[in-house]
Amino acid sequence: MPEEIQLKMLHSVAGLQHAELMRPGYAIEYDVIEPWQLTATMETKIVKNLFTAGQMNGTSGYEEAAGQGIMRALMPPCVPRTSLASRYAAPTPTLG
Ligand SMILES: Cc1cc2nc3c(=O)[nH]c(=O)nc-3n(C[C@H](O)[C@H](O)[C@H](O)COP(=O)(O)OP(=O)(O)OC[C@H]3O[C@@H](n4cnc5c(N)ncnc54)[C@H](O)[C@@H]3O)c2cc1C
């Protein structure tokens, strides 16, 4: 969020109208593989037999990153896409 917007938000809080911002908040942005670019087995649609999990799939926490890795590890390495895709009904890979 731009610094001026952060400052505006801060100043909108009663009692903080004249507060000074010492350092603005920031977010780390990075490229990820979008969920729709993967099959339900976490295989990339573009590169066959390439499976991804964790941060590169856009997760932002330890548990989900590890959970995706575990889920993928528990699946047989080479299974027909259709059989697994039907077992995991979600249209895109999620942990939810
Ligand atoms: C400052 C900070 C604070 C965080 N705090 C929290 C928190 O409080 N709670 C929370 O749930 N999450 C937190 N996270 C997020 C969490 O760290 C990540 O979501 C999680 O570590 C992602 O795990 P990962 O295994 O996908 O990726 P990573 O942990 O990044 O692991 C990727 C691994 O691949 C290796 N690698 C990269 N390229 C190659 C290559 N070409 N060949 C071989 N190895 C390679 C890297 O060295 C690394 O070891 C935080 C992240 C940061 C940066």
Side-chain angles (χ1 to χ4, degrees):
M1 193 182 294
E3 187 173 342
E4 59 273 15
I5 303 290
Q6 294 185 34
L7 194 58
K8 214 171 163 181
M9 267 175 52
L10 189 67
H11 288 166
S12 72
V13 177
L16 299 180
Q17 292 88 341
H18 305 291
E20 287 180 26
L21 192 62
M22 293 179 70
R23 193 169 42 185
Y26 67 96
I28 296 170
E29 292 178 18
Y30 53 92
D31 292 332
V32 296
I33 298 174
E34 301 286 351
W36 53 264
Q37 294 174 307
L38 299 172
T39 69
T41 63
M42 298 187 203
E43 182 181 19
T44 60
K45 289 179 182 169
I46 292 178
V47 183
K48 196 169 159 41
N49 290 325
L50 176 64
F51 299 86
T52 61
Q55 195 163 243
M56 70 190 304
N57 283 2
T59 66
S60 58
Y62 305 133
E63 294 86 355
E64 191 175 356
Q68 281 191 6
I70 289 169
M71 274 180 65
R72 181 53 241 178
L74 293 175
M75 291 180 200
C78 296
V79 290
R81 282 183 200 192
T82 45
S83 65
L84 264 180
S86 56
R87 196 184 312 163
Y88 299 95
T92 53
T94 63
L95 269 186

